[in-house]
Amino acid sequence: MFFGSSDKKDDEPSQENEKVLLSAEETTDDGTKSVELKHTNKIFLWSMCAAINSCNLGYNIGVNTVTSTLLQDYFDLTDIELEIFLGSLNILAMVGALSATAVTDRFGRRNAFTASSLIFVVGIALQTLAPNYATLLSGRVLIGLGVGFGLAVRSSHTLVCL
C-alpha cells in the first residue's frame, strides 16, 4: 500500500537479509571486545537510491545545458523561454526540499521516498514525450520538485536506517 503502511516494520533488519559489513574493535575498561556492525540489504538499497538521486540533479542540469541549443531550435524557443526552462529546475528543487518535511511527517519516510521517485520519473516521461513547450516545462517542474524533495527525504531516510 502506498500511503498506508508504517515505516518501522520494513526498516527493522530481518534475520534472512543481514550481512556483516565489517568488524570493529571497541575498547572498554576491562579489556577489548569485538563488535560486529550489521548491514542489511535494504540499507544498502536505500543508500544507493540516495546516491543516485544526488546524481540526478547534476546529470539533469548537465544534459539540459548541453542540449539547450537543440531544444531552442526544435521547440522554436525564445531566449527568455529557454532561461525559464533551464533555471526552473533549481528554484523548484528548493521548493521540493522545503516541502519534504511536511509530507514526510504526514505520510512517512518510505512513502515520501517513493513519491519523490515517482514524481521524478513522471517528469522525465513528460520531457521525453513533450510535443510542445508547455509539456516540456511541466516535465521540468516535476523533475525539479522530485529532485529537491528526494534530496531532503532520502538523506533523512538513509540516516534513520543506519
Side-chain angles (χ1 to χ4, degrees):
M1 192 182 316
F2 186 67
F3 283 114
S5 62
S6 169
D7 285 344
K8 292 183 181 178
K9 182 173 65 174
D10 286 339
D11 288 344
E12 294 173 359
S14 61
Q15 294 296 331
E16 66 265 3
N17 69 353
E18 282 188 5
K19 293 193 320 189
V20 175
L21 180 62
L22 56 99
S23 291
E25 294 292 322
E26 181 180 306
T27 306
T28 61
D29 291 337
D30 40 342
T32 303
K33 132 179 155 176
S34 180
V35 178
E36 288 184 7
L37 302 176
K38 299 288 183 181
H39 176 70
T40 64
N41 292 332
K42 286 183 182 181
I43 292 173
F44 180 75
L45 177 67
W46 290 113
S47 299
M48 291 306 296
C49 289
I52 289 170
N53 186 67
S54 298
C55 295
N56 284 341
L57 180 61
Y59 178 78
N60 202 296
I61 289 171
V63 166
N64 284 307
T65 301
V66 170
T67 62
S68 61
T69 54
L70 296 172
L71 286 171
Q72 191 170 21
D73 293 342
Y74 184 80
F75 288 105
D76 197 29
L77 303 177
T78 65
D79 288 339
I80 293 174
E81 288 174 327
L82 184 63
E83 290 173 14
I84 290 170
F85 173 76
L86 292 174
S88 63
L89 180 76
N90 295 327
I91 292 171
L92 292 162
M94 286 188 285
V95 172
L98 291 172
S99 66
T101 302
V103 175
T104 302
D105 287 346
R106 179 163 180 174
F107 298 111
R109 288 182 308 273
R110 183 179 310 107
N111 293 328
F113 192 90
T114 305
S116 71
S117 298
L118 289 175
I119 290 169
F120 184 80
V121 168
V122 170
I124 290 289
L126 278 175
Q127 275 192 321
T128 302
L129 302 172
N132 55 31
Y133 177 68
T135 309
L136 186 71
L137 191 59
S138 299
R140 188 73 166 181
V141 166
L142 290 177
I143 289 172
L145 291 172
V147 166
F149 190 76
L151 286 172
V153 171
R154 285 183 171 89
S155 299
S156 66
H157 187 68
T158 303
L159 287 173
V160 168
C161 287
L162 295 175

